Amino acid sequence: MMSDYRAIPAVDLILKTQKAAELVARYGRTMTLEAIRMVLGELRKHIREDKVAAPDTGAILNYVESRLEQWFQPSLTPVINATGVILHTNLGRAPISRAALQATTALAEGYTTLEYDLEHGSRGSRSVHAENLLKHLTGAEAALVVNNNAAAVLLVLSALAKRKRVIISRTQLVEIGGGFRVPEVMIQSGAKLVEIGTTNRVHITDYQAALEEPAAVVLRAHHSNFKIIGFSVEPALSEIVKIAHAQGVLVVDDLGSGTLLDTSNYGLAHEPMVQESIEAGADLVCFSGDKLLGGPQAGIIVGKASLLAKVKKHPLARAVRADKLCLGALSATLLHYMRDEADREIPVWKMIAATPELVRSRAVYWQSILGTGEIIRGQSTIGGGSLPEETLPTFLLALQVKHPNRFLAKLRQARPPVIARLDEDRVVIDPRTVLPEQDGALLVALQNLLVERHMEL
């Protein structure tokens, strides 16, 4: 046993090799040294417990290199979304436009006017960034951007309804991904939750009865990720606004996703638009930046200037504020809407607007390059807590492989990883959600797998 230990080279000797010098140049001396010591410690344990011979220095350095690669491999990495789910929550929701990416890069590389007023040469406010664009696009008096929509709702209720009654229908006590529940957010804000109606029906008279006692806010929460069908009813936002304002009570509309374009123009059900909520008289409207808006993760609040002035001054506003990169990407995204080019420049809307014929042509091209696969009809989904059960007709490239789950696992190990799905034991690839510039990497990953002998067609 002692001779086996003696066969293990010393750390200093390993560091003198050419391979170690290359690792030091690539990963730094500190991390390379730590990896060598860790590998040698594991090796000694392996020799002691399993009675094996010590590997040579070259093999040890291969282990060290693998360990360093593992340490330096980022867990957050780009992937190819071939699932057909446009707003895939697990895959980061909305990819941003090229203009938004360029704006982010420009702002990240140097100093910015984040909180600086160029005209007066003095301290400015970050809350002004994107505000004018949002005002133009929604018709609201003012706007504020925070880091996500849950934060937007929490901030609004904390600033305007702490220790006061907030009325909400039981049909709207929603839970979205990650365990976010509207009732729990309301409680965290310090507001007093007042539930009205039943789980499937709420009437305007329920609101009237609840408003007989003093209240601060009536909150409407859009269902976003589910539908109530059958024996159900909810009053229109304009009706709620009318009776709430008659009692001097504010109306806050939480749209969840929110959209600035009419989804019905793209063969989908109508998703409530931010402009419609403002027109209906909502005092404040909250929605997301990274869902149907197609921008970076953000929570956006638009509405009455007097109310947003209070919200901006609340201490929580600093804790949930957006950073310069978010504000830059969001502004660039909003400019697409200002120029009436959203469905040509914003990836999410380009995917939604893509015709089945266009999708099919890409699938046929992939099939011709791979020399295999079948083109079949399918359905793409919106995802991301938007337009539940709504689908878009698509065409899929279907691959019949011997071990479909193993094939999917191998695709996830590609660089970049490819996320696909199964349909009737076939691996299917939906062109709708694969960015055009990713076609080459996708085809290389598929070709590499299809030629492996253990993945027989």
Side-chain angles (χ1 to χ4, degrees), residues 126-265:
R126 73 174 63 201
S127 67
V128 303
H129 303 298
E131 183 170 25
N132 284 334
L133 295 173
L134 287 165
K135 287 161 60 177
H136 280 297
L137 290 166
T138 66
E141 295 176 3
L144 176 66
V145 180
V146 295
N147 58 18
N148 62 37
N149 191 51
V153 176
L154 177 62
L155 174 59
V156 166
L157 295 179
S158 298
L160 303 178
K162 188 173 184 178
R163 293 189 291 274
K164 297 177 182 178
R165 297 171 76 241
V166 173
I167 299 166
I168 186 170
S169 168
R170 290 187 176 91
T171 61
Q172 298 163 15
L173 296 176
V174 301
E175 175 180 332
I176 62 174
F180 169 81
R181 295 180 173 183
V182 168
E184 293 175 358
V185 171
M186 293 176 69
I187 292 170
Q188 286 295 319
S189 72
K192 297 178 180 179
L193 176 64
V194 179
E195 301 177 21
I196 62 171
T198 63
T199 55
N200 62 316
R201 293 173 71 86
V202 61
H203 301 276
I204 199 67
T205 53
D206 294 317
Y207 286 95
Q208 290 172 327
L211 287 167
E212 290 178 359
E213 296 181 38
V217 169
V218 172
L219 176 65
R220 188 187 80 153
H222 179 49
H223 299 154
S224 295
N225 61 354
F226 73 99
K227 284 184 177 180
I228 300 177
I229 59 175
F231 191 61
S232 63
V233 67
E234 288 181 317
L237 178 61
S238 57
E239 296 179 77
I240 298 171
V241 168
K242 183 177 179 180
I243 65 165
H245 285 179
Q247 300 298 321
V249 177
L250 304 175
V251 176
V252 175
D253 195 17
D254 173 17
L255 289 180
S257 175
T259 179
L260 298 178
L261 295 184
D262 188 348
T263 52
S264 65
N265 292 334

Side-chain angles (χ1 to χ4, degrees), residues 247-395:
Q247 300 298 321
V249 177
L250 304 175
V251 176
V252 175
D253 195 17
D254 173 17
L255 289 180
S257 175
T259 179
L260 298 178
L261 295 184
D262 188 348
T263 52
S264 65
N265 292 334
Y266 300 87
L268 298 165
H270 180 73
E271 179 81 357
M273 299 171 66
V274 180
Q275 305 94 307
E276 293 171 342
S277 296
I278 294 295
E279 290 173 3
D283 297 287
L284 293 177
V285 182
C286 303
F287 58 103
S288 295
D290 58 339
K291 294 183 180 179
L292 283 175
L293 190 71
Q297 177 180 298
I300 302 170
I301 312 167
V302 297
K304 301 289 178 59
S306 59
L307 298 176
L308 273 164
K310 295 180 181 178
V311 172
K312 291 174 183 179
K313 292 179 181 178
H314 192 274
L316 186 59
R318 181 177 179 85
V320 299
R321 66 185 183 179
D323 76 338
K324 62 182 180 181
L325 303 184
C326 169
L327 292 168
L330 178 61
S331 296
T333 303
L334 294 172
L335 285 172
H336 293 310
Y337 290 94
M338 294 284 286
R339 299 187 182 107
D340 294 323
E341 61 184 21
D343 60 4
R344 300 192 305 275
E345 298 295 335
I346 297 175
V348 163
W349 283 103
K350 289 171 68 175
M351 294 175 189
I352 291 174
T355 64
E357 293 75 21
L358 178 61
V359 176
R360 184 179 185 279
S361 68
R362 291 183 68 194
V364 169
Y365 170 70
W366 294 350
Q367 181 189 46
S368 69
I369 296 297
L370 296 173
T372 188
E374 179 185 359
I375 307 301
I376 63 173
R377 293 181 181 272
Q379 298 294 324
S380 305
T381 59
I382 306 303
S386 304
L387 295 164
E389 297 184 352
E390 287 295 306
T391 61
L392 291 166
T394 194
F395 285 90

